[in-house]
Amino acid sequence: MEGFFALEAYALLKVLWWVLLGVLLTGIGVMVGMDMGVGTILRYVGRTDVERRVAINVIGPHWDGNQVWFILGGGAIFAAWPLVYATAFSGFYIVMLVLLWSMIVRPLGFEYRSKMPSERWRNVWDATLFISGCIPMVVFGAAVGNVILGVPFNFDWRLTSYYTGSFISLFNPFAVLCGVMSLSLAIYMGGTRLAAAASAPVSDRARTAAVVFALVAVVVFSGCGFWVATMDGFKLVSGPAAAAAQTPLHQQVVREAGALLANYAKYPALWTFPALTYAGLILGVLSLAANRPALAWWLGALAWIGVMGTVGAAMFPFMMPSITNPSHSLTVWNSGSSLRTLGWMTGWTLVFMPLIVWYTSWAFWVMRGKVDVKDVAASEHAL
Amino acid sequence: MVNDLVVDLSRLQFASTALYHFLFVPLTLGLTVLLAVMETVYVTTGREIYRQMTQFWTKLLLINFALGVATGLTMEFQFGTNWSYYSSFVGDTFGAPLAIEGLMAFFMESTFIGLMVFGWDRLTKAQHLIVTYLVALGSNFSALWILVANSFMQHPQGAEFNPVTMRMELTSFADLFFNPDAQAKFVHTVLAGYVTAAIFVCSVSAWYLLQRRHIDFARRSFRVAAVFGVLGSAGVLTLGDALGYVGAHVQPTKLAAMEALWKSEPAPMSFTAIALPNQAEQRNDFAITVPALLSLLVTHSWSGTVPAIDELEGRARERVRNGIPAVQAMEKLSANPQDAAALAQFKAHGADVGYGFLVQRYAPGGDLTKVTDADIAQAARDAIPEVWIVFWSFRLMVGFGLLMLAYMVLATMMSLANKVETQRWFQWASVLMIPVPFLACEMGWLVAEVGRQPWSVYEMLPTWLSASTHSVSYMVFSISGFVLLYTIFAIVEIFLMLHFIKKGPEAHGHAGAAKLAGAY
């Protein structure tokens, strides 16, 4: 009986960590996406150097902490889903490098840009902030898009993974559309944040950008939805029990038309997730029109939850299906860490996640209020 | 099977990006703590000059920190992108400390560093001081968890290989955390960071004294750093000794390579001070030895011995032979996890499964039934790391360490006697010391990681098997990208550092600025 209980607990922990992965990816979208959205529209919202510095200083005290969502996301996939981490990061090699290289110029963009007065110097770093804003968000979305489509990889007997696709095939139209989706949401989040925390005229332009990209997101989300409905999904035919310790070498998976909507047909309550996305974005636009940008930001976070939930509900139990050998697909059941590791990780997360939320909120509270053009102009030589 | 050139290029990329990252880490580790010390003096005494000191050194910290964060991202990506088999093989155990590092340490450090910069006029003095302490605590906790992860590679304790899931799985979190290698290495590395920061501050301060600028600022900065550094450097050597002691027990091949110990000898063993190791013929072409010293150094007794390379190679040959049936059993279990005979076979030989992998590199088509005695002998030779690199990087590290200890003692005495301001030779010496801690840290990394070869996880997973199955062209592409970007980064960082050091503390003082709304 005790053994039975432990095994069932293992299946439960796998699902819990699948949910937590969703939470972390949503955290990346909301917190890192916001800063990257600001980077992307920096030259649009800021026509003069002082205006750009206003925008940068709105996120200045927080970008570093926010970026840790991304780092933690990587670390958590490594710890809880080692096979997914290994297969995805190596398979998407060139794309991952482009993502990495665009991300590593970002700390320098923030930290170094305003250290020298030269206009040319600052233009260069503005370019890095733009690149490190839009490219990671496009790659983030495109990676999810490719995972929905299925990825060309297989394993040998030892579980060494082999990626057999080309680099360019990762930029197929569906994946790019997903990339546009996540970039649009990022610009929306960055736009609402600037609308709330920057002074005019930066806040006015930011509001316009947020409205435009919320509408783009609505259209792209609908487009992706119709596309997915016509797509071949994956179906787990047979395999070891959910709670068993296993590898992806002993299951049967087939491709099947409409499989991506199977969970929705079975549990109609899942339609809540796409509904949340629409509700968040449409109410967000209305809030911006009513000049309530802070509320619009929170509605954007809701939209992110909706998008991640929509994808997760369509994919479950698949985490990274293989199109070349569907029976090697990675699922929630076969790619997680051991019971003990997932248990320990749950403990650490329960202790530290609330702490993180608490001190992050405190940091935002300390820095509350608007960043003003006059103040920024006056502190040219600060730090 | 993995292409050897791809493995070598992956190693080259990992080593160079890690060594580059490790240029920034020790300074951040130490400087955050040193800043907390300076700010404590400011808050307790209320003297403005200490605030000015805290803020000036913070600015230099930030220039360094940005690159530390940026190059750290590379490290986190690289396990998955280039060492995918490693990642799935040990992610269950190795991933946990990395994730906890993010949860517990890096989040705290990164969130509060924003407030440390932007919060001067928003927080009370006491609050800001707490924030600075949290940044220092965060960076040091970060080092702790990273080194717990690294120590698992050196001495895989707290996990067991599971032949059904074909990976190492956690058996005891406490054993993982209280790895003796991790404990000694954490204190050793963190203290090395403190010394790095101390010498950095001493050097820059001495340069101001040479220029006869910012005298009071430089004098005080020098003194705080010198006292901080003398304690640190004494600790680094003590813990380095403890680490060697631990190493003697858990990684005999590394120790033998560090000491170029080719042939076994009875106690007390003689110490080879300087040598030209010749790996092909397994001897030193030239050596200066001190009788009996080695036993004392590494076993802390006259009668202790440690195994030499000839003995270790013999042991490795036996373990390779025993590892072959383990890998064969694993292959059968991969096809049928319920195969009881294969499971029994694995139970009997599984302790040496890593050595089975080691020889599989030479098996035609990976078929272990075709392995010859010559292949086994070659695999056993592979079990010894490249001696001359380990031997010399170890000697350079220790040499630099002793030099730094001597310098820090002298610096503290000169500072307390108020002689730093007047002795120009000493000011010059201080300026010239600046590269030494960085070089010492790099050498330390080389000893630890080259000395671990041929394993990525000691005696469990060979490096050659750990790499991702990329093409050579992918590797050339990524290495070129890193070389280009990292070269630009280095130029920009050095330019900015020198610019702000030249500008000095007074020019930057924003004592009058009402708000720090535009810190960036």
Side-chain angles (χ1 to χ4, degrees):
Chain A
M1 193 62 204
E2 203 185 321
F4 171 79
F5 186 76
L7 284 178
E8 287 312 304
Y10 188 24
L12 212 66
L13 271 180
K14 289 177 186 175
V15 175
L16 174 69
W17 272 92
W18 176 76
V19 173
L20 283 176
L21 177 63
V23 171
L24 284 169
L25 293 178
T26 309
I28 293 173
V30 172
M31 303 303 278
V32 189
M34 156 172 67
D35 297 340
M36 290 185 165
V38 171
T40 308
I41 57 173
L42 182 64
R43 298 287 283 208
Y44 165 74
V45 296
R47 304 281 158 86
T48 65
D49 183 60
V50 172
E51 287 172 7
R52 281 171 213 147
R53 288 185 55 223
V54 167
I56 293 170
N57 280 296
V58 165
I59 54 170
H62 310 297
W63 73 267
D64 208 338
N66 291 344
Q67 180 176 260
V68 184
W69 282 96
F70 184 87
I71 291 161
L72 183 60
I77 298 180
F78 197 172
W81 305 103
L83 262 180
V84 177
Y85 173 79
T87 311
F89 277 51
S90 63
F92 297 158
Y93 192 61
I94 302 288
V95 180
M96 280 290 165
L97 285 170
V98 171
L99 171 70
L100 171 66
W101 291 338
S102 60
M103 279 202 70
I104 60 179
V105 295
R106 211 167 73 104
L108 310 187
F110 283 114
E111 214 60 72
Y112 294 173
R113 177 193 183 277
S114 301
K115 290 243 182 305
M116 304 297 289
S118 142
E119 197 187 326
R120 260 177 61 197
W121 171 270
R122 292 186 176 188
N123 283 342
V124 168
W125 294 112
D126 284 354
T128 67
L129 287 174
F130 172 77
I131 290 168
S132 64
C134 60
I135 288 184
M137 284 326 280
V138 170
V139 170
F140 184 63
V144 173
N146 278 304
V147 166
I148 295 174
L149 287 169
V151 180
F153 71 90
N154 57 72
F155 295 107
D156 65 10
W157 69 270
R158 204 192 328 246
L159 288 181
T160 304
S161 75
Y162 295 85
Y163 177 79
T164 52
S166 71
F167 139 72
I168 209 75
S169 67
L170 293 170
F171 290 99
N172 57 74
F174 179 74
V176 170
L177 202 60
C178 291
V180 173
M181 177 72 200
S182 74
L183 179 62
S184 304
L185 284 178
I187 294 174
Y188 175 83
M189 297 306 287
T192 51
R193 176 72 188 144
L194 287 180
S199 67
V202 175
S203 56
D204 296 333
R205 295 180 198 130
R207 191 182 307 121
T208 310
V211 169
V212 169
F213 281 91
L215 299 174
V216 171
V218 167
V219 174
V220 173
F221 185 68
S222 310
C224 287
F226 284 113
W227 198 326
V228 162
T230 66
M231 217 177 249
D232 277 3
F234 294 81
K235 189 179 162 193
L236 183 60
V237 181
S238 69
Q246 56 190 285
T247 64
L249 301 178
H250 304 285
Q251 61 183 2
Q252 273 77 50
V253 172
V254 293
R255 298 191 72 178
E256 198 176 87
L260 284 161
L261 294 180
N263 288 333
Y264 288 96
K266 216 164 153 191
Y267 306 103
L270 293 175
W271 289 105
T272 314
F273 286 115
L276 267 185
T277 311
Y278 285 112
L281 289 170
I282 291 164
L283 292 177
V285 170
L286 294 176
S287 312
L288 283 171
N291 205 13
R292 299 282 303 278
L295 178 64
W297 187 89
W298 283 103
L299 288 163
L302 204 66
W304 263 115
I305 295 173
V307 173
M308 289 297 172
T310 304
V311 175
M315 299 281 296
F316 191 89
F318 289 96
M319 299 196 68
M320 189 169 163
S322 163
I323 41 172
T324 42
N325 187 349
S327 289
H328 283 181
S329 293
L330 299 177
T331 69
V332 173
W333 315 126
N334 66 25
S335 44
S337 280
S338 64
L339 174 65
R340 186 175 273 110
T341 298
L342 292 182
W344 272 100
M345 290 296 299
T346 307
W348 285 97
T349 307
L350 286 177
V351 173
F352 282 98
M353 203 34 99
L355 268 176
I356 290 168
V357 171
W358 173 69
Y359 63 60
T360 304
S361 312
W362 185 70
F364 273 90
W365 183 79
V366 167
M367 299 309 300
R368 69 194 175 279
K370 281 184 184 278
V371 176
D372 195 78
V373 173
K374 283 197 302 291
D375 293 334
V376 169
S379 59
E380 176 65 42
H381 297 297
L383 277 176
Chain B
M1 281 289 137
V2 184
N3 177 331
D4 281 345
L5 181 57
V6 170
V7 176
D8 288 344
L9 290 173
S10 302
R11 284 186 66 195
L12 176 70
Q13 180 177 306
F14 195 92
S16 42
T17 52
L19 283 167
Y20 192 89
H21 176 58
F22 206 50
L23 287 172
F24 309 104
V25 173
L27 186 56
T28 298
L29 275 175
L31 211 45
T32 49
V33 177
L34 196 45
L35 284 170
V37 172
M38 287 177 183
E39 197 175 337
T40 307
V41 179
Y42 165 60
V43 172
T44 50
T45 66
R47 282 152 83 178
E48 268 303 296
I49 183 126
Y50 285 95
R51 187 185 60 92
Q52 205 189 355
M53 278 159 60
T54 310
Q55 290 188 336
F56 175 74
W57 297 110
T58 299
K59 183 189 310 206
L60 299 190
L61 167 74
L62 289 174
I63 295 171
N64 179 69
F65 184 75
L67 258 180
V69 171
T71 55
L73 279 170
T74 304
M75 301 321 296
E76 197 199 20
F77 268 65
Q78 225 173 160
F79 291 108
T81 53
N82 292 84
W83 302 96
S84 59
Y85 192 68
Y86 169 84
S87 300
S88 55
F89 192 89
V90 294
D92 191 89
T93 316
F94 181 85
L98 290 193
I100 296 167
E101 187 262 345
L103 271 171
M104 181 180 174
F106 200 53
F107 238 122
M108 180 161 88
E109 180 185 10
S110 302
T111 303
F112 289 111
I113 205 164
L115 289 183
M116 193 175 156
V117 179
F118 284 80
W120 279 101
D121 60 334
R122 298 232 177 190
L123 298 165
T124 64
K125 271 189 187 178
Q127 280 176 329
H128 194 279
L129 180 64
I130 292 171
V131 164
T132 305
Y133 269 97
L134 289 175
V135 171
L137 197 65
S139 68
N140 282 264
F141 271 147
S142 201
L144 172 66
W145 287 106
I146 295 298
L147 292 170
V148 166
N150 176 269
S151 293
F152 179 74
M153 303 168 80
Q154 312 286 352
H155 177 49
Q157 170 181 310
E160 233 176 56
F161 183 80
N162 179 343
V164 173
T165 49
M166 295 188 287
R167 63 181 180 190
M168 300 211 56
E169 291 183 353
L170 187 66
T171 51
S172 161
F173 195 89
D175 286 351
L176 173 70
F177 184 79
F178 293 108
N179 189 328
D181 188 73
Q183 303 302 310
K185 194 172 274 172
F186 166 63
V187 186
H188 179 66
T189 308
V190 161
L191 290 177
Y194 297 178
V195 179
T196 305
I199 291 187
F200 177 79
V201 171
C202 284
S203 286
V204 174
S205 301
W207 186 75
Y208 289 137
L209 293 173
L210 266 179
Q211 303 257 309
R212 304 193 204 289
R213 294 163 62 198
H214 319 299
I215 303 283
D216 192 37
F217 173 93
R219 204 169 53 83
R220 286 173 198 273
S221 295
F222 192 98
R223 181 166 300 170
V224 175
V227 174
F228 184 70
V230 80
L231 298 174
S233 49
V236 171
L237 289 166
T238 316
L239 265 299
D241 172 65
L243 200 53
Y245 189 73
V246 171
H249 295 276
V250 301
Q251 278 185 322
T253 47
K254 180 186 284 178
L255 187 83
M258 272 158 69
E259 305 298 354
L261 203 59
W262 300 106
K263 301 274 179 279
S264 297
E265 54 179 288
M269 300 175 81
S270 57
F271 171 73
T272 305
I274 286 177
L276 292 176
N278 179 340
Q279 191 117 6
E281 292 170 35
Q282 300 219 339
R283 61 183 176 84
N284 294 322
D285 286 340
F286 163 84
I288 298 176
T289 57
V290 184
L293 187 58
L294 186 65
S295 288
L296 190 64
L297 282 176
V298 297
T299 68
H300 297 179
S301 93
W302 290 110
S303 56
T305 56
V306 286
I309 286 167
D310 55 355
E311 188 185 335
L312 292 168
E313 224 183 273
R315 283 191 215 169
R317 256 193 308 276
E318 290 319 302
R319 297 193 67 177
V320 169
R321 281 184 208 286
N322 194 38
I324 290 172
V327 175
Q328 286 167 331
M330 183 179 150
E331 193 165 356
K332 284 180 216 153
L333 283 167
S334 169
N336 175 16
Q338 268 82 43
D339 187 336
L343 198 60
Q345 185 178 339
F346 189 87
K347 283 227 168 89
H349 303 279
D352 292 328
V353 67
Y355 283 89
F357 294 146
L358 202 58
V359 76
Q360 203 166 25
R361 179 179 197 169
Y362 302 109
D367 183 354
L368 284 166
T369 57
K370 293 182 184 149
V371 162
T372 62
D373 281 349
D375 294 333
I376 291 171
Q378 184 56 47
R381 287 214 143 193
D382 289 352
I384 307 301
E386 193 135 2
V387 174
W388 73 268
I389 299 183
V390 183
F391 180 87
W392 278 107
S393 49
F394 177 64
R395 266 148 196 75
L396 286 170
M397 174 185 77
V398 173
F400 288 143
L402 292 170
L403 174 64
M404 287 189 285
L405 176 64
Y407 168 78
M408 291 303 344
V409 170
L410 186 62
T412 307
M413 292 193 322
M414 299 277 281
S415 175
L416 293 177
N418 287 320
K419 281 191 176 157
V420 181
E421 297 94 301
T422 51
Q423 305 295 318
R424 289 183 72 79
W425 69 269
F426 184 70
Q427 294 163 4
W428 272 115
S430 298
V431 171
L432 293 175
M433 278 300 286
I434 205 162
V436 176
F438 296 95
L439 289 171
C441 290
E442 300 283 286
M443 291 302 140
W445 189 90
L446 284 176
V447 176
E449 311 309 328
V450 177
R452 190 192 66 233
Q453 299 303 324
W455 309 99
S456 60
V457 183
Y458 193 65
E459 295 187 333
M460 282 306 300
L461 183 67
T463 307
W464 76 267
L465 188 57
S466 310
S468 300
T469 52
H470 292 312
S471 62
V472 174
S473 57
Y474 267 30
M475 290 311 305
V476 169
F477 172 78
S478 59
I479 290 174
S480 315
F482 279 116
V483 168
L484 180 71
L485 271 178
Y486 278 23
T487 308
I488 297 172
F489 289 176
I491 294 169
V492 173
E493 146 115 6
I494 290 170
F495 164 76
L496 277 177
M497 274 281 184
L498 292 179
H499 177 82
F500 281 97
I501 288 170
K502 270 184 207 151
K503 213 167 156 190
E506 267 148 12
H508 116 282
H510 66 279
K515 278 194 158 189
L516 253 183
Y520 283 143

